[in-house]
Amino acid sequence: MGSRRLPGKTMMDVAGVPLLERLLRQLQGATSLDEIVIATSSEPADDVIAEFGRNLGYRVVRGSKENVLSRYIKAADASEADIVVRVTGDCPLHSPDTVDEVVYTFLDSNAEYASNTNPYTRPDGQDVEVFTTSVMNLASTFAVDEPDLEHVTLWIRRNPDVVKLDVSHQPPINPSMRWSVDHPDDLEFVRLVWACLDRRGPGPFNFEEIMSTVTESGAEPGKAIINEGYYLSIFNTATAEAAPPLSLGKSFAWLERSEQVIPGGAQTYSKSWRHHIRGVTPIFLENGKGAVVTDVDGNQYVDLVQGLLPNILGYAHDEVDRAAYERATHGHCFTLPHPIEVELAERLCSLIPCAEMVRYGKNGSDATSGAIRAARAYTERDRVAVCGYHGWQDWFIGSTSRNAGVPKTVQELTHPFPYNDLDALEELLASKSGEFAAVIMEPVNFNWPDREYLAKVKEIVHKHGALLIFDEICSGFHFQLGGAQKIFDVTPDMATFGKAMGNGWPISCIVGRRDVMKVFEDAFVSFTFAGDVSAMAASLKVLDILEHGDAYARMTAAGTKLFDGARIMAEAAGLKDTFILKGHPHWATFAFINENGEDDPATKALWLQEVTRRGVLMLTTFNISAALDEAAVNIVLSAFAHGFKRIAEARNNGIDPKEWLEGPVPVPAFQARS
């Protein structure tokens, strides 16, 4: 009854019946439950719940308002239960078949904990958790933080020693809707739905019946962020104190050695210390597994860089690495083509709309440069229009501020144009009519295309006799199989893919129309390791996992929690208009801005300093992998909370963020995306 957001919600009227009774009637239809127990607090305000439950014949236990976990312990003891099913009292649209599916799946396993929330395959408000009383008692012994006690199962979910099971429901699947009640608009929604359900009969109703009724009723679900209370509880336990410095002695020793023999100290600009806060963040990593990396000093971090996007399934993925290793034991770099080249090409052609033929590379720059060469050969033209980041080769990098060593004549052949601006593209192509070979662009990055934008780009490009190339090095496989061209139903002439297609094993590809791709028989794009069979074996396994597993659902679940949590915490810290986050749940970028709406790199650096020292490795993007489990997500959210409170503390005290920085503000190489 003491809900902060909707006081008294548990007993509020829902189409003539108290909300709690709606839930209890639904749960009565679950065949897997031996007893339903109401566990409420000992607060006087909750006397009405206790009396109501007892009058209906339910066992009622009462305990601490803050320590909800202890109430579950009491409920299990009172019922002598060895297995507990947790359903929260603000879900009047729960369904008995959803409960049964989770419980029976748990009973058929050797798990100690199971849930249907990681990832969600039912709306919020259909949450079910099942766990043994023995593991609950362990949580009661070792869980001490306020969020652990309030949300009951957090300690269990992040403990690596607990055998966990994620239950995915069969279709119909709708994970994005909100059916729980925390705000007035949630209450209005369930009232409208129940008014329609009551016309069907007495119930209880299964999920499909509720789902169809929701559709028929036209009721709009509430707009609040799912799990808002969870994020706020983590934020409330954070402090504004500075995180202790990391021990980085070995990192700096390796940097000193590296700078004597490696220009810039790293092989990739974005992986060097320049993008981090020198003196604060690690410089050399030793190993990685899943979503966690360890630096040479032994510090561990949840990695939200993901090696610049390749490790979509996480570091050292057993199945992928085994496929590559087993292939390598039979020979690796052959004198003649290997059949696996054909197998992978056939698979890519079946998945990617524009793919009729395939050529391989080792990295993204191989693919984009090869595509440009083919376009120039096919059209017998020289100029290229670009939008986004397309690699390090002369033809593109010459159009940026990092153009040292690129001949001026080459620079003059590449022309950037802004995203989502059709007039600018039309004007550019018309300015050098008949001279453009191709328009190469990232079809989506952190900005979503305007309605019909990509389709109209294709029209303009073809009107001017050029080829349209989608650079899907980043977007390809990260959002879904088939790439952005499949999401937006716009088929380019050619496309490039890389990064995630090998989960860290170096492989990229150019795909496209047959008549264009046949140009490669004369346009020379050829190198020794293009036929790397181990990387191709890895790629085939990655495609298997992405196509037939739940990797994308896991990425969406993890990314949504991090993005929603970051937004809620920023607002709670008074930074709603300061912290900007945009993109897709699988790949997004963030920034801090000042009161004039300008980028504030010092504030961002201070936030990153705190976040890194609390065990999260980041640049300026959230690169989500399927390996981000509950434990990793909790570490990240906790680090975010401390970071936001530290920024708020500086602002509230009029302190320049640079005063609290212990290293220089990182400076990006250049900006290719807006």
Side-chain angles (χ1 to χ4, degrees):
M1 295 297 287
S3 167
R4 291 185 293 271
R5 287 162 290 184
L6 189 61
K9 66 180 181 180
T10 307
M11 296 301 295
M12 285 183 172
D13 177 85
V14 176
V17 177
L19 185 151
L20 178 59
E21 186 173 351
R22 287 291 190 188
L23 171 61
L24 294 170
R25 290 181 184 181
Q26 284 293 100
L27 294 179
Q28 287 290 352
T31 61
S32 60
L33 304 179
D34 296 316
E35 183 183 3
I36 298 172
V37 181
I38 298 173
T40 190
S41 86
S42 299
E43 297 291 310
D46 288 328
D47 290 348
V48 62
I49 293 177
E51 182 180 359
F52 179 78
R54 292 190 183 105
N55 287 340
L56 291 178
Y58 292 98
R59 188 194 304 269
V60 177
V61 298
R62 305 185 70 176
S64 167
K65 177 183 178 182
E66 291 77 20
N67 190 345
V68 184
L69 174 57
S70 68
R71 303 208 305 255
Y72 275 78
I73 297 290
K74 284 187 175 183
D77 289 345
S79 298
E80 298 182 350
D82 55 355
I83 295 172
V84 174
V85 181
R86 179 177 183 237
V87 174
T88 57
D90 54 3
C91 302
L93 289 176
H94 223 310
S95 57
D97 56 322
T98 297
V99 173
D100 285 341
E101 189 173 353
V102 179
V103 174
Y104 288 130
T105 303
F106 171 86
L107 294 174
D108 288 339
S109 73
N110 64 346
E112 298 169 283
Y113 170 89
S115 79
N116 64 346
T117 62
N118 188 44
Y120 276 96
T121 49
R122 287 285 185 266
D124 175 47
Q126 292 262 313
D127 306 16
V128 184
E129 294 179 288
V130 189
F131 41 90
T132 63
T133 52
S134 58
V135 81
M136 181 175 64
N137 287 329
L138 278 176
S140 180
T141 301
F142 294 106
V144 294
D145 294 336
E146 181 182 323
D148 292 343
L149 302 178
E150 179 183 354
H151 296 282
V152 181
T153 59
L154 291 187
W155 183 90
I156 296 172
R157 283 149 51 187
R158 69 170 184 268
N159 188 327
D161 297 325
V162 173
V163 181
K164 292 180 277 288
L165 174 68
D166 296 320
V167 178
S168 295
H169 294 287
Q170 298 301 309
I173 291 173
N174 196 317
S176 60
M177 296 183 78
R178 178 183 173 84
W179 289 2
S180 59
V181 176
D182 278 311
H183 298 274
D185 59 347
D186 300 328
L187 183 63
E188 183 61 25
F189 167 73
V190 299
R191 283 172 170 168
L192 290 172
V193 175
W194 266 110
C196 293
L197 280 169
D198 284 338
R199 292 196 287 270
R200 286 176 174 251
F205 302 101
N206 64 30
F207 174 73
E208 287 197 49
E209 290 171 324
I210 299 172
M211 188 72 246
S212 63
T213 302
V214 168
T215 303
E216 293 166 8
S217 70
E220 288 290 328
K223 304 301 182 186
I225 290 178
I226 295 171
N227 292 323
E228 179 183 0
Y230 163 57
Y231 305 132
L232 288 173
S233 66
I234 293 176
F235 178 80
N236 291 335
T237 60
T239 70
E241 296 177 4
L246 297 165
S247 174
L248 298 172
K250 291 182 179 179
S251 252
F252 289 110
W254 276 109
L255 177 61
E256 185 176 348
R257 290 176 60 179
S258 175
E259 289 182 329
Q260 301 304 309
V261 291
I262 298 173
Q267 303 303 317
T268 305
Y269 191 92
S270 298
K271 295 184 181 183
S272 75
W273 61 266
R274 289 172 178 81
H275 277 258
H276 299 272
I277 307 168
R278 184 161 184 163
V280 171
T281 54
I283 303 170
F284 282 83
L285 296 179
E286 184 77 46
N287 56 59
K289 182 67 177 175
V292 177
V293 292
T294 306
D295 68 20
V296 293
D297 290 280
N299 304 302
Q300 288 194 333
Y301 313 85
V302 176
D303 189 344
L304 292 186
V305 183
Q306 199 200 99
L308 303 180
L309 282 176
N311 298 295
I312 188 172
L313 303 176
Y315 289 93
H317 190 278
D318 291 339
E319 291 181 69
V320 175
D321 291 352
R322 188 180 305 115
Y325 170 77
E326 289 176 354
R327 181 56 266 166
T329 61
H330 298 285
H332 183 57
C333 185
F334 288 103
T335 301
L336 297 172
H338 188 281
I340 198 171
E341 298 179 33
V342 182
E343 293 174 10
L344 179 57
E346 290 173 339
R347 185 75 173 279
L348 293 169
C349 288
S350 72
L351 292 171
I352 302 170
C354 79
E356 295 178 349
M357 300 190 83
V358 181
R359 283 294 297 268
Y360 300 111
K362 297 306 295 174
N363 57 59
S365 295
D366 294 339
T368 54
S369 298
I372 292 301
R373 182 168 297 175
R376 284 172 165 164
Y378 183 84
T379 62
E380 298 182 347
R381 298 174 176 182
D382 295 331
R383 296 190 185 275
V384 178
V386 300
C387 181
Y389 174 74
H390 306 296
W392 69 272
Q393 302 274 15
D394 284 8
W395 70 270
F396 170 71
I397 209 67
S399 67
T400 75
S401 59
R402 289 281 171 177
N403 56 14
V406 180
K408 187 172 180 59
T409 53
V410 175
Q411 297 179 35
E412 292 172 348
L413 293 175
T414 302
H415 308 263
F417 66 94
Y419 191 71
N420 270 336
D421 190 336
L422 292 168
D423 291 339
L425 176 60
E426 174 67 50
E427 183 178 344
L428 173 61
L429 298 185
S431 70
K432 304 288 183 182
S433 182
E435 297 183 30
F436 279 91
V439 170
I440 183 169
M441 65 181 299
E442 292 179 316
V444 63
N445 47 62
F446 308 122
N447 297 300
W448 217 247
D450 292 340
R451 180 177 173 83
E452 299 298 316
Y453 171 68
L454 294 175
K456 291 176 181 176
V457 164
K458 182 176 178 179
E459 290 178 12
I460 293 171
V461 172
H462 285 178
K463 183 181 74 172
H464 286 275
L467 296 179
L468 176 61
I469 304 169
F470 279 176
D471 178 353
E472 299 223 47
I473 298 298
C474 293
S475 60
F477 304 113
H478 240 92
F479 298 156
Q480 72 166 53
L481 287 171
Q485 57 191 270
K486 196 164 189 177
I487 296 174
F488 301 110
D489 194 26
V490 176
T491 304
D493 302 301
M494 281 193 290
T496 59
F497 289 77
K499 291 192 183 285
M501 70 182 287
N503 197 58
W505 289 85
I507 185 170
S508 62
C509 68
I510 312 162
V511 300
R513 276 173 26 200
R514 185 176 306 277
D515 61 325
V516 178
M517 295 295 292
K518 294 283 279 186
V519 170
F520 283 114
E521 294 177 2
D522 296 310
F524 199 74
V525 176
S526 178
F527 41 96
T528 301
F529 295 108
D532 176 356
V533 296
S534 291
M536 291 181 191
S539 185
L540 279 169
K541 180 56 68 174
V542 170
L543 296 179
D544 284 343
I545 293 169
L546 293 178
E547 187 170 11
H548 302 297
D550 63 354
Y552 286 124
R554 289 183 179 279
M555 290 170 67
T556 299
T560 300
K561 289 174 185 175
L562 295 187
F563 305 159
D564 286 350
R567 291 189 179 103
I568 289 290
M569 292 173 181
E571 183 174 359
L575 302 171
K576 180 180 179 181
D577 298 325
T578 300
F579 177 76
I580 306 300
L581 178 63
K582 62 179 181 178
H584 187 278
H586 300 178
W587 186 43
T589 186
F590 71 94
F592 286 85
I593 59 174
N594 59 26
E595 60 275 8
N596 299 319
E598 301 164 334
D599 191 49
D600 187 350
T603 297
K604 180 169 66 177
L606 179 58
W607 189 75
L608 285 172
Q609 174 175 283
E610 298 304 309
V611 165
T612 304
R613 285 178 167 176
R614 294 184 185 276
V616 181
L617 194 59
M618 294 186 68
L619 288 172
T620 58
T621 57
F622 292 13
N623 301 345
I624 304 303
S625 78
L628 276 167
D629 58 15
E630 291 266 4
V633 167
N634 193 263
I635 290 170
V636 175
L637 289 173
S638 178
F640 284 3
H642 286 281
F644 285 124
K645 282 198 169 179
R646 186 69 172 160
I647 297 300
E649 179 82 357
R651 293 205 165 191
N652 293 339
N653 289 281
I655 297 171
D656 187 331
K658 292 180 182 177
E659 294 183 30
W660 283 356
L661 269 180
E662 297 181 30
V665 176
V667 178
F670 57 87
Q671 183 171 334
R673 302 182 178 105
S674 58

